Amino acid sequence: MFVENATIEDKTIYLDGATIHNCTLRRCKLVINGLMPFSISHSHFENCSWTFNGPAAQTLQQLKLLNQGGASSIVKGVVNAILKDEEIPNIMH
C-alpha cells in the first residue's frame, strides 16, 4: 500500500509493508503485525486507534515483562532512544 497526499477516513489500515506520506487519517484503525517494515512521514492522525498483533504484540509484551522483572533501565533506554530518534543499540547497559 502506497498512499500520498490523501485523507483517509473510517478505514482499517494494515501498516505492514505500507508507505503513508503527507496524509490525514481520521477515525482509522491502524494495525501493526510486525511482519514487514513500514513508513509513515508527515502525516496526521485524528481519533485513530492502534492495534499491535503477532510479533509486534509479542515485542511489546516482552518489553513489559523486562520492565516488571527488574530490567526497567533497558526499557527506558529503548523508549528514550525512540523519543530522541536515535539508533536503538543491540546491547544496552
Side-chain angles (χ1 to χ4, degrees):
M1 168 187 210
F2 178 86
V3 183
E4 187 173 32
N5 302 320
T7 297
I8 304 168
E9 297 180 335
D10 304 308
K11 301 283 184 191
T12 297
I13 300 169
Y14 295 89
L15 292 174
D16 289 39
T19 298
I20 298 174
H21 176 71
N22 199 35
C23 292
T24 298
L25 290 86
R26 293 187 183 116
R27 300 174 308 278
C28 291
K29 179 180 179 182
L30 303 164
V31 180
I32 300 172
N33 292 310
L35 300 172
M36 297 173 58
F38 60 90
S39 174
I40 299 174
S41 59
H42 306 287
S43 295
H44 302 285
F45 303 91
E46 300 173 9
N47 298 314
C48 293
S49 65
W50 296 77
T51 301
F52 299 86
N53 295 326
Q58 290 174 341
T59 299
L60 292 177
Q61 181 63 25
Q62 293 300 317
L63 286 170
K64 180 179 175 181
L65 292 172
L66 283 170
N67 188 61
Q68 292 172 345
S72 62
S73 63
I74 293 172
V75 177
K76 288 176 186 176
V78 169
V79 170
N80 285 335
I82 291 168
L83 292 173
K84 294 177 183 177
D85 197 23
E86 297 174 348
E87 184 82 16
I88 299 172
N90 288 330
I91 300 173
M92 302 186 74
H93 302 276

